[in-house]
Amino acid sequence: MSIDYSTGPILKVEGLKQYFTTRGKYVVKAVDNVNFEVYRGETYGLVGESGSGKSTIGRSVIRLYEPTAGKITFKGMDISGKMDRQTTDVLRTKMQMIFQDPMASLNPKKKIGDIIGEGLDIHHMYSSKEDRKAKIDAILKKVGLAPEHYERYPHQFSGGQRQRVGIARVLIMNPELIIADECISALDVSIQAQVVNLMKDIQEETGTAYLFIAHDLSMVKYISDRIGVLHLGHLLETGTTDEIFDNPIHPYTRSLLSAIPSPNPELERNRTSLTYDYRESGVDYNKGTEHLISGTHYVLGTDAEIEKWKKDAGSTVLA
Amino acid sequence: MDVQEFIKRQEAIKPKHDEKILDIRDLDITFKTSAGPIHAIRGVNIDLCRGETVAIVGESGSGKSVSVKAAAGILAGNAIVNSGAIDFTYTDSKTGERVTVDILKKDTKWIRKHINGRRIAMIFQDPMTSLDPTMTIGKQIMEGMIWHFNTPKQEAYEKSLKLLEEVGITEPEKRMKQYPHQLSGGMRQRVVIAIALACDPELLICDEPTTALDVTIQAKILELIKRLQMERGISVIYITHDLGVVAKVADYINVMYAGKIVEKGLADEIFYDPRHPYTWGLLLAMPDLNTNDDRLVTIPGSPPNLLHEVKGDAFAPRNVYALKIDEKLEPPMFRISEDHYAATWLLDPRAPKVEMPEELKNRIQRMMEEADNVN
């Protein structure tokens, strides 16, 4: 299945703000005025350093947090404020989340089959015991596990297999949007590739959309159709993967891309990464507005900044 | 483009490889656990000379951390060294002579006094856990100097200020009084590096030094360690699973799998002329920034459990090129060039001729062209 841009976005985030108050005094603006859209069958990658708010966005979208301000629309329904019963049901089934650490996100006291079937139990999504078992077996097979794994416990699996369980538990709900929060960063390189391939296969088969949150840029580039670059809670630049990688405008994006290590020693040895320091750069993210560069490529900045950055980006070619 | 010619470029700039610092020979280690003995290291050989950087690459559980922990004399209590020797050569500060000791034969007390922190320093993955949260930055940098050399406090303080400047921390006077939680992750790792360098070690071991850091900071930390190494002429061992990190810093690379080194050589030889199927798999599993292949090439299965005795080649069950002999006999290290060795039966003259996957070949060709265009 390919991306469906005609029916409008499956997820639309407008002006999302997520503030946290600590000790009743300080306000941490974890996410500040973020806008983006995810279409059906698409993978939208959110990248940024730790503390940039990428995980917070994922959690606000699936309503683990109460958004401070802004509007989140999922399948045409407003899910940012108080939700009625029907909306809650749709949100809790059609939007699912895969977590980073598969050991921490699976209940060690439960059998794999029951972990996967929990969603079915809660939402009464089977007609008989046999139906439930059949559904779970089918999902186990789909993620590359065997039906005999049903009776086992999480500790009996390797890291890669556990993450397959995490994916199976999500898939059984037939979700239309999956939030994958750093779901491969705890895995070894060779296992990462297996899980990413599995995620791609599933997308092709079911047409689900992914909100892929990660800090590993080469993996994000590989899996995403569009990318959003976050820094200090602001979405600095967003566009298709090619737009971002071929023509990065924002100095932060440019420093991020210059830092990706490449497995090419003759090239790497003589290369130094670009430096970017927010405090010294004189850029105020709060003053910036979204500027359209081309197509779906937007950059956050003031008019003067955008002009300057465009010139800078044109003069130096990034490797 | 010819690979061999390309590799010669690194041979021209590689370190002299004379004054030996560390020589690990036939190291074999078992861990006693409640589930039974785990044969974690099965015959490892690594040598390192002055000013060189060696990287040990492998997946979790391959034994890369255990090997260097043995070298630093900080193995866990349930480890049993079955055989092997770890010869470490250092300059005696009193006589100025070069002294060679076998770390495995020395007791903990001696190692604490003469090796740990003083001649071999380590940088760990997560700076927050390797720093003491209750102690100021300054005290932590000065601690080693005062303990090892009885350095007067004032002198230690001044030296610490210099070290902080050297690792790129601004306002060192202010930082000396701060606590770890007041610094960012990248800053903390810089402090850890300053602590490691406080006693002028001859060997620096970096165990996944940038895994917990963000990409931009990762690049900066690697560049910092590289600069310090050049200035001070120390030797560095990197342990990592990230081949990108390795490409930037390493002179020599050891690829480890299931407690053994399966391929070793100059960095260029490993990246442009890999011979072991596991190395092929590792290189291919990394997404390439320049191609949009539909699928990543994966290594099927997962690493073996070393609780069970390995028969034949440990990688054989995951190896699509495995031969019959792989199930019975472990392959020896086959010599490819002066520095380049690989443990796979495919290099035996009697083996059928197997070439690396076409995809990898194309990718290497492209990487060489790219490097050519830039340099």
Side-chain angles (χ1 to χ4, degrees):
Chain A
M1 255 202 233
S2 55
I3 308 162
D4 182 3
Y5 288 113
S6 57
T7 50
I10 188 162
L11 176 77
K12 191 169 180 167
V13 176
E14 295 161 283
L16 177 67
K17 288 182 184 172
Q18 186 72 60
Y19 296 172
F20 297 102
T21 321
T22 52
R23 280 182 252 156
K25 269 192 276 181
Y26 305 100
V27 176
V28 177
K29 297 183 175 178
V31 176
D32 213 358
N33 228 344
V34 164
N35 306 296
F36 68 92
E37 291 165 352
V38 182
Y39 290 85
R40 280 165 215 277
E42 183 189 44
T43 304
Y44 187 80
L46 273 180
V47 287
E49 56 180 23
S50 48
S52 62
K54 53 189 193 302
S55 287
T56 310
I57 290 180
R59 287 164 169 264
S60 303
V61 165
I62 206 166
R63 286 300 299 275
L64 287 172
Y65 297 139
E66 202 70 32
T68 312
K71 192 175 171 197
I72 306 169
T73 321
F74 178 59
K75 284 171 63 102
M77 291 180 291
D78 184 357
I79 55 164
S80 47
K82 200 165 168 19
M83 294 180 286
D84 57 26
R85 184 61 197 269
Q86 198 196 343
T87 317
T88 314
D89 272 354
V90 171
L91 174 67
R92 292 287 168 247
T93 52
K94 294 299 171 194
M95 194 194 289
Q96 294 289 325
M97 196 158 183
I98 309 172
F99 296 92
Q100 172 170 7
D101 184 351
M103 196 61 216
S105 56
L106 301 178
N107 187 341
K109 294 194 286 188
K110 275 193 158 174
K111 285 177 188 157
I112 293 300
D114 292 330
I115 291 174
I116 295 172
E118 199 173 5
L120 296 179
D121 300 341
I122 292 168
H123 294 281
H124 312 292
M125 285 167 67
Y126 53 90
S127 50
S128 62
K129 260 192 171 164
E130 290 72 37
D131 182 32
R132 178 176 182 268
K133 178 89 171 64
K135 276 186 168 160
I136 294 169
D137 284 355
I139 288 289
L140 277 170
K141 235 182 248 156
K142 198 183 243 174
V143 298
L145 297 169
E148 51 268 30
H149 288 131
Y150 186 105
E151 299 288 330
R152 293 201 197 157
Y153 291 91
H155 74 266
Q156 293 169 296
F157 289 90
S158 68
Q161 284 176 318
R162 275 181 215 142
Q163 201 55 295
R164 285 173 197 267
V165 174
I167 294 174
R169 153 170 85 175
V170 159
L171 277 187
I172 204 157
M173 308 304 291
N174 291 320
E176 291 174 34
L177 175 68
I178 297 175
I179 300 174
D181 188 359
E182 299 270 14
C183 71
I184 52 165
S185 43
L187 307 173
D188 275 318
V189 199
S190 70
I191 310 293
Q192 276 187 4
Q194 288 176 9
V195 173
V196 165
N197 278 345
L198 174 66
M199 287 176 70
K200 276 211 154 182
D201 289 346
I202 287 165
Q203 186 169 51
E204 221 144 86
E205 205 183 309
T206 63
T208 175
Y210 287 117
L211 180 61
F212 190 81
I213 300 168
H215 67 272
D216 178 351
L217 277 154
S218 44
M219 209 44 109
V220 169
K221 174 173 190 219
Y222 173 72
I223 198 170
S224 307
D225 301 301
R226 289 189 304 129
I227 291 176
V229 180
L230 278 169
H231 191 220
L232 305 174
H234 295 264
L235 190 70
L236 299 184
E237 192 159 357
T238 179
T240 64
T241 306
D242 290 339
E243 282 166 345
I244 299 283
F245 274 80
D246 295 343
N247 184 26
I249 301 289
H250 201 283
Y252 178 69
T253 315
R254 284 153 51 80
S255 80
L256 207 59
L257 297 190
S258 81
I260 306 175
S262 123
N264 192 350
E266 289 287 339
L267 191 71
E268 279 296 314
R269 254 179 232 126
N270 305 315
R271 207 175 61 151
T272 44
S273 53
L274 298 174
T275 312
Y276 177 80
D277 190 333
Y278 176 61
R279 264 174 297 179
E280 285 167 20
S281 66
V283 182
D284 187 350
Y285 291 161
N286 293 313
K287 284 196 189 127
T289 50
E290 272 179 18
H291 285 69
L292 178 66
I293 305 295
S294 65
T296 58
H297 190 177
Y298 288 90
V299 178
L300 184 79
T302 61
D303 296 342
E305 280 165 0
I306 298 284
E307 274 313 305
K308 185 175 171 295
W309 292 338
K310 268 179 159 172
K311 233 185 261 160
D312 290 351
S315 62
T316 48
V317 182
L318 277 170
Chain B
M1 206 176 302
D2 185 43
V3 176
Q4 294 309 323
E5 218 145 90
F6 207 79
I7 292 169
K8 283 208 185 95
R9 292 187 197 175
Q10 201 205 346
E11 270 172 4
I13 58 157
K14 77 175 179 186
K16 276 200 301 272
H17 201 67
D18 41 15
E19 222 175 300
K20 216 169 239 190
I21 294 262
L22 190 70
D23 190 3
I24 302 180
R25 284 190 316 267
D26 303 321
L27 188 64
D28 193 299
I29 295 174
T30 306
F31 283 98
K32 236 165 69 187
T33 68
S34 53
I38 292 178
H39 203 173
I41 305 288
R42 306 180 299 128
V44 162
N45 291 289
I46 297 171
D47 64 342
L48 175 65
C49 291
R50 201 187 173 83
E52 279 177 1
T53 308
V54 163
I56 306 175
V57 189
E59 294 179 80
S60 45
S62 61
K64 49 194 198 302
S65 280
V66 177
S67 312
V68 296
K69 276 189 178 161
I74 50 167
L75 275 177
N78 61 341
I80 303 161
V81 180
N82 303 319
S83 67
I86 300 175
D87 286 338
F88 177 62
T89 311
Y90 63 89
T91 312
D92 192 295
S93 42
K94 280 193 197 105
T95 58
E97 276 169 24
R98 298 290 285 171
V99 186
T100 302
V101 291
D102 185 349
I103 301 270
L104 292 176
K105 293 213 171 67
K106 294 288 181 184
D107 58 51
T108 322
K109 209 175 157 194
W110 189 91
I111 290 172
R112 276 260 147 171
K113 190 156 179 240
H114 295 271
I115 301 295
N116 289 165
R118 180 168 172 186
R119 296 191 171 102
I120 299 181
M122 276 184 100
I123 299 170
F124 295 97
Q125 180 172 344
D126 182 1
M128 200 58 214
T129 44
S130 47
L131 291 171
D132 186 334
T134 68
M135 243 197 215
T136 59
I137 301 297
K139 207 168 172 198
Q140 296 190 53
I141 302 178
M142 286 152 61
E143 196 184 19
M145 293 183 244
I146 293 170
W147 198 86
H148 280 295
F149 303 120
N150 268 327
T151 314
K153 234 179 169 178
Q154 188 58 35
E155 202 186 315
Y157 180 83
E158 271 153 28
K159 205 175 160 201
S160 303
L161 283 183
K162 246 192 230 141
L163 278 166
L164 281 176
E165 260 167 41
E166 213 178 319
V167 297
I169 291 182
T170 50
E171 303 174 81
E173 279 100 347
K174 189 177 135 202
R175 304 293 179 199
M176 289 286 280
K177 288 191 218 102
Q178 284 184 321
Y179 289 88
H181 74 267
Q182 292 170 294
L183 304 179
S184 67
M187 283 286 198
R188 278 181 214 140
Q189 198 62 305
R190 282 170 199 266
V191 169
V192 173
I193 295 172
I195 294 172
L197 294 176
C199 295
D200 292 312
E202 298 185 34
L203 172 60
L204 187 63
I205 296 173
C206 307
D207 191 350
E208 306 263 9
T210 57
T211 313
L213 305 175
D214 295 308
V215 228
T216 40
I217 301 158
Q218 164 176 305
K220 292 286 159 223
I221 294 287
L222 293 177
E223 283 158 22
L224 169 70
I225 296 176
K226 210 172 163 182
R227 196 194 78 217
L228 292 168
Q229 180 188 14
M230 299 275 222
E231 287 169 5
R232 291 163 169 257
I234 49 181
S235 314
V236 178
I237 299 179
Y238 269 100
I239 302 170
T240 178
H241 65 267
D242 187 338
L243 283 161
V245 167
V246 170
K248 201 177 180 80
V249 296
D251 299 314
Y252 295 92
I253 296 174
N254 293 284
V255 181
M256 268 191 100
Y257 187 77
K260 264 191 123 95
I261 290 174
V262 293
E263 184 161 5
K264 65 197 293 179
L266 281 169
D268 279 16
E269 287 171 329
I270 301 293
F271 278 101
Y272 303 125
D273 187 23
R275 299 297 178 100
H276 199 286
Y278 179 62
T279 318
W280 297 344
L282 273 188
L283 288 169
L284 277 173
M286 291 187 28
D288 185 0
L289 285 175
N290 299 309
T291 44
N292 293 315
D293 308 332
D294 268 350
R295 298 177 62 82
L296 292 171
V297 183
T298 64
I299 307 173
S302 48
N305 188 347
L306 294 174
L307 208 54
H308 313 296
E309 196 55 44
V310 177
K311 198 162 178 276
D313 183 0
F315 185 58
R318 302 176 74 188
N319 184 1
V320 287
Y321 306 101
L323 307 170
K324 266 215 178 95
I325 186 161
D326 278 315
E327 285 158 29
K328 296 194 184 91
L329 211 58
E330 200 149 31
M333 276 294 216
F334 286 96
R335 184 176 185 273
I336 298 148
S337 76
E338 191 194 336
D339 302 300
H340 194 181
Y341 292 83
T344 164
W345 283 116
L346 293 177
L347 292 171
D348 191 278
R350 288 161 292 178
K353 197 153 168 48
V354 172
E355 295 241 338
M356 72 173 82
E358 198 60 33
E359 244 167 317
L360 184 59
K361 214 187 240 170
N362 295 338
R363 197 189 279 197
I364 289 172
Q365 203 54 241
R366 206 173 41 242
M367 286 197 313
M368 292 197 299
E369 276 160 30
E370 212 180 313
D372 244 6
N373 291 338
V374 173
N375 292 338

